[in-house]
Amino acid sequence: MVDYTFIRKDMIKRETVIEGILEVLSPLRIGVGKSGGMDPASIAKDTVLKDVNGVPVIPGSSWKGVFRSTGETILMARNITVCSGVGKNYCLNNYRKYDDFQDAIRESDINNALKIFWDYTCLNCKLFGTMSVIGAVKFLDSRAFEYKLGTRTMVAISRTEGAAARRALVQVEFVEPGSKFNFKLIGTNLPNYAIGYLLTIMKRIHDGYTQIGGHKSRGFGFVKFANLHLLNSGSKKIGEDDLQASLPDEIKAEGDKFFEEVKPYMEAFNNAKIQYPVH
Ligand SMILES: [Zn+2]
């Protein structure tokens, strides 16, 4: 009998918070799209996303995308089945179980809905959510609390359908290196291996293997974490098969040291035998 606590939303057995500071190491651009069109005679402005007070933000949805795609690479390297979560490429659709799942929900057959969702979704669908199902982890919007904005003029190529490619100048606004944002994620009912998976993704970002935002090929989007704090409350493990090495419930340390101290969680992920999705 599988323990479905990880994917249950009707009870909270464990809450996990990971928070800290994000330090910007190279120009960072989380954009809002272009204003001013692509008229070659004028310079379009490509501004950074800001909140109502004009403070640069990295939306939680952007974090979710970064974590999901970075995680996909990690899982594929371990030969663990994972969907991209983009467009129609998501597990319930790929396994043709979306309608069965919806029927089970409609008929209030919760056990069957849990069984279908457990058996026919990957770790990314369970953690980050999928069509009509919210994930087990939530990313808060990151706000800059120390920042400078810069601009750089770049050549953009616009391809309007049926017309030749046109080149236009775009003034790209970015957040300067040295700027700082807050960072926070909250997980519900996460097994230790899932926490280890999230930490493995964070370490890849911290170590510079994953860039965030736009213009990555120009060297934008390198960041690292500082002042990190992991806090688990509630149950020590989730599910019968969750690995329960003696994992500390609270770890507070600087960036590099933090990732040393959370190694037992990352080992729990490395040693986890992930049995879903079934084939
Ligand atoms: Zn999936």
Side-chain angles (χ1 to χ4, degrees):
M1 178 72 194
V2 181
D3 183 318
Y4 296 126
T5 307
F6 178 21
I7 56 169
R8 287 182 69 161
K9 318 290 177 202
D10 56 333
M11 57 178 190
I12 296 178
K13 282 201 171 175
R14 181 188 220 188
E15 191 172 75
T16 303
V17 175
I18 304 174
E19 60 184 328
I21 292 170
L22 185 81
E23 294 183 356
V24 178
L25 301 180
S26 70
L28 171 68
R29 205 199 72 95
I30 306 290
V32 280
K34 292 164 187 67
S35 60
M38 292 296 283
D39 177 1
S42 76
I43 295 181
K45 280 205 169 67
D46 199 353
T47 54
V48 158
L49 184 63
K50 303 183 186 84
D51 70 8
V52 288
N53 299 314
V55 176
V57 290
I58 305 168
S61 56
S62 293
W63 279 123
K64 194 159 82 170
V66 169
F67 272 64
R68 188 163 195 147
S69 62
T70 304
E72 189 185 347
T73 310
I74 293 168
L75 295 176
M76 280 164 61
R78 276 188 54 190
N79 285 319
I80 295 171
T81 304
V82 58
C83 69
S84 74
V86 175
K88 285 188 180 325
N89 183 355
Y90 57 94
C91 288
L92 284 177
N93 189 44
N94 294 346
Y95 294 106
R96 304 188 186 287
K97 292 290 172 185
Y98 186 71
D99 291 342
D100 291 351
F101 177 70
Q102 288 300 327
D103 288 346
I105 299 274
R106 213 170 4 250
E107 290 155 15
S108 298
D109 188 351
I110 299 305
N111 280 337
N112 193 29
L114 286 170
K115 183 176 174 18
I116 293 169
F117 193 75
W118 185 271
D119 285 347
Y120 297 102
T121 61
C122 66
L123 179 57
N124 275 1
C125 283
K126 288 177 175 66
L127 259 182
F128 305 119
T130 182
M131 297 293 288
S132 77
V133 181
I134 59 161
V137 62
K138 179 184 164 195
F139 296 88
L140 275 64
D141 293 346
S142 288
R143 271 190 176 67
F145 59 90
E146 223 182 278
Y147 67 95
K148 272 190 190 156
L149 293 170
T151 54
R152 190 179 292 185
T153 304
M154 295 180 185
V155 176
I157 297 176
S158 87
R159 294 180 198 281
T160 323
E161 215 179 328
R166 292 195 309 175
R167 290 149 65 88
L169 293 177
V170 180
Q171 213 164 51
V172 175
E173 187 181 41
F174 59 87
V175 177
E176 294 257 24
S179 300
K180 291 174 182 172
F181 289 75
N182 55 23
F183 172 84
K184 186 172 186 177
L185 68 79
I186 302 168
T188 306
N189 297 336
L190 301 186
N192 290 316
Y193 71 83
I195 297 170
Y197 174 58
L198 291 171
L199 291 165
T200 303
I201 294 169
M202 286 180 69
K203 189 173 187 319
R204 283 190 77 93
I205 298 168
H206 180 78
D207 289 343
Y209 294 107
T210 292
Q211 292 155 266
I212 63 171
H215 302 295
K216 295 182 179 78
S217 62
R218 291 178 163 104
F220 278 37
F222 288 103
V223 295
K224 68 173 183 172
F225 292 103
N227 287 33
L228 285 162
H229 186 193
L230 163 77
L231 185 63
N232 282 323
S233 48
S235 180
K236 293 287 278 183
K237 60 171 196 161
I238 294 294
E240 285 311 304
D241 56 347
D242 196 16
L243 302 161
Q244 47 163 343
S246 51
L247 302 176
D249 276 326
E250 181 165 22
I251 298 171
K252 211 171 177 176
E254 270 309 308
D256 290 337
K257 190 152 187 295
F258 177 84
F259 289 108
E260 278 297 313
E261 292 187 21
V262 297
K263 268 189 178 154
Y265 280 98
M266 295 196 270
E267 274 156 28
F269 166 64
N270 290 335
N271 296 327
K273 291 194 171 44
I274 294 169
Q275 308 279 8
Y276 50 76
V278 298
H279 302 286

mmCIF file with all atom_site columns, all heavy atoms in Angstrom, residues 68 81-85 89-92 94 120-126 130 277, ligand 1:
data_model
loop_
_atom_site.group_PDB
_atom_site.id
_atom_site.type_symbol
_atom_site.label_atom_id
_atom_site.label_alt_id
_atom_site.label_comp_id
_atom_site.label_asym_id
_atom_site.label_entity_id
_atom_site.label_seq_id
_atom_site.pdbx_PDB_ins_code
_atom_site.Cartn_x
_atom_site.Cartn_y
_atom_site.Cartn_z
_atom_site.occupancy
_atom_site.B_iso_or_equiv
_atom_site.pdbx_formal_charge
_atom_site.auth_seq_id
_atom_site.auth_comp_id
_atom_site.auth_asym_id
_atom_site.auth_atom_id
_atom_site.pdbx_PDB_model_num
ATOM   1   N  N   . ARG A 1 68  ? 11.946 23.608 -12.592 1.00 0.00 ? 68  ARG A N   1
ATOM   2   C  CA  . ARG A 1 68  ? 11.414 22.469 -13.341 1.00 0.00 ? 68  ARG A CA  1
ATOM   3   C  C   . ARG A 1 68  ? 12.382 22.065 -14.464 1.00 0.00 ? 68  ARG A C   1
ATOM   4   O  O   . ARG A 1 68  ? 12.681 20.881 -14.631 1.00 0.00 ? 68  ARG A O   1
ATOM   5   C  CB  . ARG A 1 68  ? 10.039 22.809 -13.911 1.00 0.00 ? 68  ARG A CB  1
ATOM   6   C  CG  . ARG A 1 68  ? 9.373  21.616 -14.526 1.00 0.00 ? 68  ARG A CG  1
ATOM   7   C  CD  . ARG A 1 68  ? 7.866  21.799 -14.721 1.00 0.00 ? 68  ARG A CD  1
ATOM   8   N  NE  . ARG A 1 68  ? 7.301  20.488 -14.970 1.00 0.00 ? 68  ARG A NE  1
ATOM   9   C  CZ  . ARG A 1 68  ? 6.093  20.098 -14.598 1.00 0.00 ? 68  ARG A CZ  1
ATOM   10  N  NH1 . ARG A 1 68  ? 5.308  20.927 -13.950 1.00 0.00 ? 68  ARG A NH1 1
ATOM   11  N  NH2 . ARG A 1 68  ? 5.667  18.887 -14.857 1.00 0.00 ? 68  ARG A NH2 1
ATOM   12  N  N   . THR A 1 81  ? 12.218 8.817  -15.430 1.00 0.00 ? 81  THR A N   1
ATOM   13  C  CA  . THR A 1 81  ? 11.246 9.341  -16.384 1.00 0.00 ? 81  THR A CA  1
ATOM   14  C  C   . THR A 1 81  ? 10.691 10.681 -15.903 1.00 0.00 ? 81  THR A C   1
ATOM   15  O  O   . THR A 1 81  ? 10.303 10.826 -14.748 1.00 0.00 ? 81  THR A O   1
ATOM   16  C  CB  . THR A 1 81  ? 10.084 8.336  -16.561 1.00 0.00 ? 81  THR A CB  1
ATOM   17  O  OG1 . THR A 1 81  ? 10.644 7.087  -16.947 1.00 0.00 ? 81  THR A OG1 1
ATOM   18  C  CG2 . THR A 1 81  ? 9.105  8.811  -17.613 1.00 0.00 ? 81  THR A CG2 1
ATOM   19  N  N   . VAL A 1 82  ? 10.670 11.658 -16.797 1.00 0.00 ? 82  VAL A N   1
ATOM   20  C  CA  . VAL A 1 82  ? 10.196 12.997 -16.454 1.00 0.00 ? 82  VAL A CA  1
ATOM   21  C  C   . VAL A 1 82  ? 9.601  13.626 -17.708 1.00 0.00 ? 82  VAL A C   1
ATOM   22  O  O   . VAL A 1 82  ? 10.073 13.376 -18.815 1.00 0.00 ? 82  VAL A O   1
ATOM   23  C  CB  . VAL A 1 82  ? 11.359 13.850 -15.879 1.00 0.00 ? 82  VAL A CB  1
ATOM   24  C  CG1 . VAL A 1 82  ? 12.520 13.962 -16.856 1.00 0.00 ? 82  VAL A CG1 1
ATOM   25  C  CG2 . VAL A 1 82  ? 10.897 15.235 -15.434 1.00 0.00 ? 82  VAL A CG2 1
ATOM   26  N  N   . CYS A 1 83  ? 8.532  14.426 -17.517 1.00 0.00 ? 83  CYS A N   1
ATOM   27  C  CA  . CYS A 1 83  ? 7.962  15.142 -18.662 1.00 0.00 ? 83  CYS A CA  1
ATOM   28  C  C   . CYS A 1 83  ? 8.512  16.561 -18.655 1.00 0.00 ? 83  CYS A C   1
ATOM   29  O  O   . CYS A 1 83  ? 9.060  17.019 -17.661 1.00 0.00 ? 83  CYS A O   1
ATOM   30  C  CB  . CYS A 1 83  ? 6.435  15.161 -18.574 1.00 0.00 ? 83  CYS A CB  1
ATOM   31  S  SG  . CYS A 1 83  ? 5.782  16.189 -17.237 1.00 0.00 ? 83  CYS A SG  1
ATOM   32  N  N   . SER A 1 84  ? 8.336  17.271 -19.777 1.00 0.00 ? 84  SER A N   1
ATOM   33  C  CA  . SER A 1 84  ? 8.827  18.650 -19.816 1.00 0.00 ? 84  SER A CA  1
ATOM   34  C  C   . SER A 1 84  ? 7.846  19.595 -19.128 1.00 0.00 ? 84  SER A C   1
ATOM   35  O  O   . SER A 1 84  ? 8.219  20.663 -18.673 1.00 0.00 ? 84  SER A O   1
ATOM   36  C  CB  . SER A 1 84  ? 9.056  19.095 -21.260 1.00 0.00 ? 84  SER A CB  1
ATOM   37  O  OG  . SER A 1 84  ? 7.803  19.333 -21.883 1.00 0.00 ? 84  SER A OG  1
ATOM   38  N  N   . GLY A 1 85  ? 6.572  19.204 -19.068 1.00 0.00 ? 85  GLY A N   1
ATOM   39  C  CA  . GLY A 1 85  ? 5.569  20.087 -18.479 1.00 0.00 ? 85  GLY A CA  1
ATOM   40  C  C   . GLY A 1 85  ? 5.214  21.260 -19.373 1.00 0.00 ? 85  GLY A C   1
ATOM   41  O  O   . GLY A 1 85  ? 4.499  22.166 -18.966 1.00 0.00 ? 85  GLY A O   1
ATOM   42  N  N   . ASN A 1 89  ? 2.938  18.280 -23.338 1.00 0.00 ? 89  ASN A N   1
ATOM   43  C  CA  . ASN A 1 89  ? 3.880  17.272 -22.843 1.00 0.00 ? 89  ASN A CA  1
ATOM   44  C  C   . ASN A 1 89  ? 3.892  17.255 -21.318 1.00 0.00 ? 89  ASN A C   1
ATOM   45  O  O   . ASN A 1 89  ? 4.797  17.777 -20.680 1.00 0.00 ? 89  ASN A O   1
ATOM   46  C  CB  . ASN A 1 89  ? 5.278  17.546 -23.403 1.00 0.00 ? 89  ASN A CB  1
ATOM   47  C  CG  . ASN A 1 89  ? 6.291  16.483 -22.983 1.00 0.00 ? 89  ASN A CG  1
ATOM   48  O  OD1 . ASN A 1 89  ? 5.974  15.578 -22.198 1.00 0.00 ? 89  ASN A OD1 1
ATOM   49  N  ND2 . ASN A 1 89  ? 7.502  16.603 -23.482 1.00 0.00 ? 89  ASN A ND2 1
ATOM   50  N  N   . TYR A 1 90  ? 2.823  16.688 -20.743 1.00 0.00 ? 90  TYR A N   1
ATOM   51  C  CA  . TYR A 1 90  ? 2.786  16.478 -19.297 1.00 0.00 ? 90  TYR A CA  1
ATOM   52  C  C   . TYR A 1 90  ? 2.267  15.067 -19.045 1.00 0.00 ? 90  TYR A C   1
ATOM   53  O  O   . TYR A 1 90  ? 1.551  14.492 -19.874 1.00 0.00 ? 90  TYR A O   1
ATOM   54  C  CB  . TYR A 1 90  ? 1.940  17.539 -18.590 1.00 0.00 ? 90  TYR A CB  1
ATOM   55  C  CG  . TYR A 1 90  ? 0.517  17.643 -19.057 1.00 0.00 ? 90  TYR A CG  1
ATOM   56  C  CD1 . TYR A 1 90  ? -0.496 16.954 -18.399 1.00 0.00 ? 90  TYR A CD1 1
ATOM   57  C  CD2 . TYR A 1 90  ? 0.185  18.427 -20.155 1.00 0.00 ? 90  TYR A CD2 1
ATOM   58  C  CE1 . TYR A 1 90  ? -1.798 17.046 -18.833 1.00 0.00 ? 90  TYR A CE1 1
ATOM   59  C  CE2 . TYR A 1 90  ? -1.123 18.520 -20.596 1.00 0.00 ? 90  TYR A CE2 1
ATOM   60  C  CZ  . TYR A 1 90  ? -2.113 17.824 -19.932 1.00 0.00 ? 90  TYR A CZ  1
ATOM   61  O  OH  . TYR A 1 90  ? -3.407 17.904 -20.363 1.00 0.00 ? 90  TYR A OH  1
ATOM   62  N  N   . CYS A 1 91  ? 2.661  14.518 -17.897 1.00 0.00 ? 91  CYS A N   1
ATOM   63  C  CA  . CYS A 1 91  ? 2.485  13.075 -17.672 1.00 0.00 ? 91  CYS A CA  1
ATOM   64  C  C   . CYS A 1 91  ? 1.058  12.581 -17.863 1.00 0.00 ? 91  CYS A C   1
ATOM   65  O  O   . CYS A 1 91  ? 0.835  11.611 -18.585 1.00 0.00 ? 91  CYS A O   1
ATOM   66  C  CB  . CYS A 1 91  ? 2.989  12.714 -16.280 1.00 0.00 ? 91  CYS A CB  1
ATOM   67  S  SG  . CYS A 1 91  ? 4.780  12.784 -16.160 1.00 0.00 ? 91  CYS A SG  1
ATOM   68  N  N   . LEU A 1 92  ? 0.079  13.229 -17.209 1.00 0.00 ? 92  LEU A N   1
ATOM   69  C  CA  . LEU A 1 92  ? -1.289 12.700 -17.293 1.00 0.00 ? 92  LEU A CA  1
ATOM   70  C  C   . LEU A 1 92  ? -1.752 12.618 -18.737 1.00 0.00 ? 92  LEU A C   1
ATOM   71  O  O   . LEU A 1 92  ? -2.491 11.709 -19.122 1.00 0.00 ? 92  LEU A O   1
ATOM   72  C  CB  . LEU A 1 92  ? -2.253 13.568 -16.468 1.00 0.00 ? 92  LEU A CB  1
ATOM   73  C  CG  . LEU A 1 92  ? -2.206 13.402 -14.951 1.00 0.00 ? 92  LEU A CG  1
ATOM   74  C  CD1 . LEU A 1 92  ? -3.157 14.379 -14.274 1.00 0.00 ? 92  LEU A CD1 1
ATOM   75  C  CD2 . LEU A 1 92  ? -2.518 11.966 -14.526 1.00 0.00 ? 92  LEU A CD2 1
ATOM   76  N  N   . ASN A 1 94  ? 0.462  12.392 -21.425 1.00 0.00 ? 94  ASN A N   1
ATOM   77  C  CA  . ASN A 1 94  ? 1.324  11.415 -22.110 1.00 0.00 ? 94  ASN A CA  1
ATOM   78  C  C   . ASN A 1 94  ? 0.869  9.974  -21.856 1.00 0.00 ? 94  ASN A C   1
ATOM   79  O  O   . ASN A 1 94  ? 0.988  9.124  -22.720 1.00 0.00 ? 94  ASN A O   1
ATOM   80  C  CB  . ASN A 1 94  ? 2.779  11.572 -21.664 1.00 0.00 ? 94  ASN A CB  1
ATOM   81  C  CG  . ASN A 1 94  ? 3.365  12.904 -22.091 1.00 0.00 ? 94  ASN A CG  1
ATOM   82  O  OD1 . ASN A 1 94  ? 2.792  13.594 -22.935 1.00 0.00 ? 94  ASN A OD1 1
ATOM   83  N  ND2 . ASN A 1 94  ? 4.500  13.285 -21.511 1.00 0.00 ? 94  ASN A ND2 1
ATOM   84  N  N   . TYR A 1 120 ? 0.866  7.820  -12.439 1.00 0.00 ? 120 TYR A N   1
ATOM   85  C  CA  . TYR A 1 120 ? 1.079  8.337  -13.790 1.00 0.00 ? 120 TYR A CA  1
ATOM   86  C  C   . TYR A 1 120 ? 1.610  9.768  -13.841 1.00 0.00 ? 120 TYR A C   1
ATOM   87  O  O   . TYR A 1 120 ? 1.349  10.487 -14.800 1.00 0.00 ? 120 TYR A O   1
ATOM   88  C  CB  . TYR A 1 120 ? -0.211 8.196  -14.610 1.00 0.00 ? 120 TYR A CB  1
ATOM   89  C  CG  . TYR A 1 120 ? -0.603 6.745  -14.792 1.00 0.00 ? 120 TYR A CG  1
ATOM   90  C  CD1 . TYR A 1 120 ? -1.623 6.174  -14.025 1.00 0.00 ? 120 TYR A CD1 1
ATOM   91  C  CD2 . TYR A 1 120 ? 0.083  5.935  -15.697 1.00 0.00 ? 120 TYR A CD2 1
ATOM   92  C  CE1 . TYR A 1 120 ? -1.957 4.835  -14.164 1.00 0.00 ? 120 TYR A CE1 1
ATOM   93  C  CE2 . TYR A 1 120 ? -0.245 4.592  -15.849 1.00 0.00 ? 120 TYR A CE2 1
ATOM   94  C  CZ  . TYR A 1 120 ? -1.258 4.055  -15.076 1.00 0.00 ? 120 TYR A CZ  1
ATOM   95  O  OH  . TYR A 1 120 ? -1.580 2.720  -15.208 1.00 0.00 ? 120 TYR A OH  1
ATOM   96  N  N   . THR A 1 121 ? 2.327  10.178 -12.805 1.00 0.00 ? 121 THR A N   1
ATOM   97  C  CA  . THR A 1 121 ? 3.016  11.472 -12.907 1.00 0.00 ? 121 THR A CA  1
ATOM   98  C  C   . THR A 1 121 ? 4.455  11.322 -12.408 1.00 0.00 ? 121 THR A C   1
ATOM   99  O  O   . THR A 1 121 ? 4.758  10.487 -11.561 1.00 0.00 ? 121 THR A O   1
ATOM   100 C  CB  . THR A 1 121 ? 2.331  12.589 -12.078 1.00 0.00 ? 121 THR A CB  1
ATOM   101 O  OG1 . THR A 1 121 ? 2.324  12.231 -10.702 1.00 0.00 ? 121 THR A OG1 1
ATOM   102 C  CG2 . THR A 1 121 ? 0.927  12.878 -12.564 1.00 0.00 ? 121 THR A CG2 1
ATOM   103 N  N   . CYS A 1 122 ? 5.312  12.169 -12.959 1.00 0.00 ? 122 CYS A N   1
ATOM   104 C  CA  . CYS A 1 122 ? 6.728  12.164 -12.587 1.00 0.00 ? 122 CYS A CA  1
ATOM   105 C  C   . CYS A 1 122 ? 6.944  13.032 -11.339 1.00 0.00 ? 122 CYS A C   1
ATOM   106 O  O   . CYS A 1 122 ? 6.016  13.688 -10.847 1.00 0.00 ? 122 CYS A O   1
ATOM   107 C  CB  . CYS A 1 122 ? 7.569  12.694 -13.757 1.00 0.00 ? 122 CYS A CB  1
ATOM   108 S  SG  . CYS A 1 122 ? 7.291  14.440 -14.141 1.00 0.00 ? 122 CYS A SG  1
ATOM   109 N  N   . LEU A 1 123 ? 8.176  13.034 -10.864 1.00 0.00 ? 123 LEU A N   1
ATOM   110 C  CA  . LEU A 1 123 ? 8.509  13.851 -9.685  1.00 0.00 ? 123 LEU A CA  1
ATOM   111 C  C   . LEU A 1 123 ? 8.224  15.338 -9.950  1.00 0.00 ? 123 LEU A C   1
ATOM   112 O  O   . LEU A 1 123 ? 7.742  16.047 -9.069  1.00 0.00 ? 123 LEU A O   1
ATOM   113 C  CB  . LEU A 1 123 ? 9.990  13.633 -9.320  1.00 0.00 ? 123 LEU A CB  1
ATOM   114 C  CG  . LEU A 1 123 ? 10.541 14.425 -8.138  1.00 0.00 ? 123 LEU A CG  1
ATOM   115 C  CD1 . LEU A 1 123 ? 9.745  14.182 -6.857  1.00 0.00 ? 123 LEU A CD1 1
ATOM   116 C  CD2 . LEU A 1 123 ? 12.015 14.084 -7.901  1.00 0.00 ? 123 LEU A CD2 1
ATOM   117 N  N   . ASN A 1 124 ? 8.512  15.822 -11.162 1.00 0.00 ? 124 ASN A N   1
ATOM   118 C  CA  . ASN A 1 124 ? 8.259  17.237 -11.460 1.00 0.00 ? 124 ASN A CA  1
ATOM   119 C  C   . ASN A 1 124 ? 6.777  17.578 -11.414 1.00 0.00 ? 124 ASN A C   1
ATOM   120 O  O   . ASN A 1 124 ? 6.395  18.635 -10.906 1.00 0.00 ? 124 ASN A O   1
ATOM   121 C  CB  . ASN A 1 124 ? 8.849  17.618 -12.818 1.00 0.00 ? 124 ASN A CB  1
ATOM   122 C  CG  . ASN A 1 124 ? 10.319 17.983 -12.715 1.00 0.00 ? 124 ASN A CG  1
ATOM   123 O  OD1 . ASN A 1 124 ? 10.899 17.941 -11.629 1.00 0.00 ? 124 ASN A OD1 1
ATOM   124 N  ND2 . ASN A 1 124 ? 10.916 18.360 -13.840 1.00 0.00 ? 124 ASN A ND2 1
ATOM   125 N  N   . CYS A 1 125 ? 5.917  16.702 -11.957 1.00 0.00 ? 125 CYS A N   1
ATOM   126 C  CA  . CYS A 1 125 ? 4.473  16.955 -11.892 1.00 0.00 ? 125 CYS A CA  1
ATOM   127 C  C   . CYS A 1 125 ? 4.003  16.966 -10.433 1.00 0.00 ? 125 CYS A C   1
ATOM   128 O  O   . CYS A 1 125 ? 3.184  17.799 -10.047 1.00 0.00 ? 125 CYS A O   1
ATOM   129 C  CB  . CYS A 1 125 ? 3.695  15.900 -12.670 1.00 0.00 ? 125 CYS A CB  1
ATOM   130 S  SG  . CYS A 1 125 ? 3.731  16.120 -14.462 1.00 0.00 ? 125 CYS A SG  1
ATOM   131 N  N   . LYS A 1 126 ? 4.512  16.051 -9.622  1.00 0.00 ? 126 LYS A N   1
ATOM   132 C  CA  . LYS A 1 126 ? 4.100  15.991 -8.215  1.00 0.00 ? 126 LYS A CA  1
ATOM   133 C  C   . LYS A 1 126 ? 4.565  17.232 -7.460  1.00 0.00 ? 126 LYS A C   1
ATOM   134 O  O   . LYS A 1 126 ? 3.840  17.797 -6.648  1.00 0.00 ? 126 LYS A O   1
ATOM   135 C  CB  . LYS A 1 126 ? 4.666  14.732 -7.539  1.00 0.00 ? 126 LYS A CB  1
ATOM   136 C  CG  . LYS A 1 126 ? 4.004  13.440 -7.993  1.00 0.00 ? 126 LYS A CG  1
ATOM   137 C  CD  . LYS A 1 126 ? 4.653  12.238 -7.334  1.00 0.00 ? 126 LYS A CD  1
ATOM   138 C  CE  . LYS A 1 126 ? 3.943  10.924 -7.665  1.00 0.00 ? 126 LYS A CE  1
ATOM   139 N  NZ  . LYS A 1 126 ? 4.013  10.522 -9.092  1.00 0.00 ? 126 LYS A NZ  1
ATOM   140 N  N   . THR A 1 130 ? 0.729  20.305 -12.282 1.00 0.00 ? 130 THR A N   1
ATOM   141 C  CA  . THR A 1 130 ? 0.452  20.035 -13.689 1.00 0.00 ? 130 THR A CA  1
ATOM   142 C  C   . THR A 1 130 ? -0.980 20.475 -13.934 1.00 0.00 ? 130 THR A C   1
ATOM   143 O  O   . THR A 1 130 ? -1.627 21.009 -13.033 1.00 0.00 ? 130 THR A O   1
ATOM   144 C  CB  . THR A 1 130 ? 0.684  18.534 -13.992 1.00 0.00 ? 130 THR A CB  1
ATOM   145 O  OG1 . THR A 1 130 ? 0.455  18.291 -15.388 1.00 0.00 ? 130 THR A OG1 1
ATOM   146 C  CG2 . THR A 1 130 ? -0.220 17.632 -13.165 1.00 0.00 ? 130 THR A CG2 1
ATOM   147 N  N   . PRO A 1 277 ? 6.792  7.503  -12.712 1.00 0.00 ? 277 PRO A N   1
ATOM   148 C  CA  . PRO A 1 277 ? 5.526  6.923  -13.157 1.00 0.00 ? 277 PRO A CA  1
ATOM   149 C  C   . PRO A 1 277 ? 5.694  5.453  -13.534 1.00 0.00 ? 277 PRO A C   1
ATOM   150 O  O   . PRO A 1 277 ? 6.749  5.060  -13.967 1.00 0.00 ? 277 PRO A O   1
ATOM   151 C  CB  . PRO A 1 277 ? 5.163  7.777  -14.394 1.00 0.00 ? 277 PRO A CB  1
ATOM   152 C  CG  . PRO A 1 277 ? 6.424  8.428  -14.823 1.00 0.00 ? 277 PRO A CG  1
ATOM   153 C  CD  . PRO A 1 277 ? 7.330  8.495  -13.644 1.00 0.00 ? 277 PRO A CD  1
HETATM 154 ZN ZN  . ZN  B 2 .   ? 5.425  14.792 -15.375 1.00 0.00 ? 1   ZN  B ZN  1
#
